[in-house]
Amino acid sequence: MAETLDAAVLAELLEAVGDDPAFVDELVDTFLAEAPGFMSAIDGAVAAGDAGALLVPAHTLKGNASTIGAGRLAEISRTLEERARRGDLDGAGSDAAAARAELAHVVTALDAQRARRWTA
């Protein structure tokens, strides 16, 4: 399984934006602002048993997590997305709980990485 946060991905992102840590700050801040809403949508869809409503927030969280190097969160979100595509939500509740817990770990890891100004 992937790690909580791949610092090398953030370092590559920093390089891709011209070594502008303020720009990476903005990207990460956007992720941090949006992720709780995606989690709420995931939780709501799972609680309602609505696979269709699960698809977009799971897919979006997967992509956003991948962009910032949150590999484990991306993997869990991919599993949720796959469940939504199959219309099979058995186990989605535990996956959603795992995603919520992993998001908390990602937040902590991002704080530490921000202190290093996004370098590996």
Side-chain angles (χ1 to χ4, degrees), residues 33-57:
E34 292 177 349
F38 295 130
M39 281 307 315
S40 292
I42 288 168
D43 289 339
V46 170
D50 187 345
L54 176 59
L55 184 60
V56 170

Side-chain angles (χ1 to χ4, degrees), residues 2-71:
E3 59 191 303
T4 293
L5 190 66
D6 185 343
V9 170
L10 284 164
E12 289 169 12
L13 183 60
L14 177 63
E15 185 179 332
V17 298
D19 292 320
D20 183 356
F23 190 76
V24 178
D25 286 342
E26 289 179 34
L27 293 172
V28 168
D29 289 343
T30 299
F31 170 82
L32 293 172
E34 292 177 349
F38 295 130
M39 281 307 315
S40 292
I42 288 168
D43 289 339
V46 170
D50 187 345
L54 176 59
L55 184 60
V56 170
H59 174 79
T60 306
L61 186 59
K62 174 191 75 175
N64 293 355
S66 292
T67 297
I68 63 157

Side-chain angles (χ1 to χ4, degrees), residues 44-115:
V46 170
D50 187 345
L54 176 59
L55 184 60
V56 170
H59 174 79
T60 306
L61 186 59
K62 174 191 75 175
N64 293 355
S66 292
T67 297
I68 63 157
R72 192 171 298 140
L73 181 58
E75 284 181 4
I76 297 166
S77 300
R78 180 178 31 80
T79 298
L80 284 162
E81 178 186 13
E82 289 169 356
R83 288 184 186 285
R85 289 189 191 283
R86 288 191 313 267
D88 176 12
L89 299 186
D90 288 343
S94 62
D95 289 339
R100 186 170 292 285
E102 185 59 21
L103 178 58
H105 296 303
V106 168
V107 169
T108 299
L110 284 170
D111 286 343
Q113 202 56 34
R114 186 187 304 260

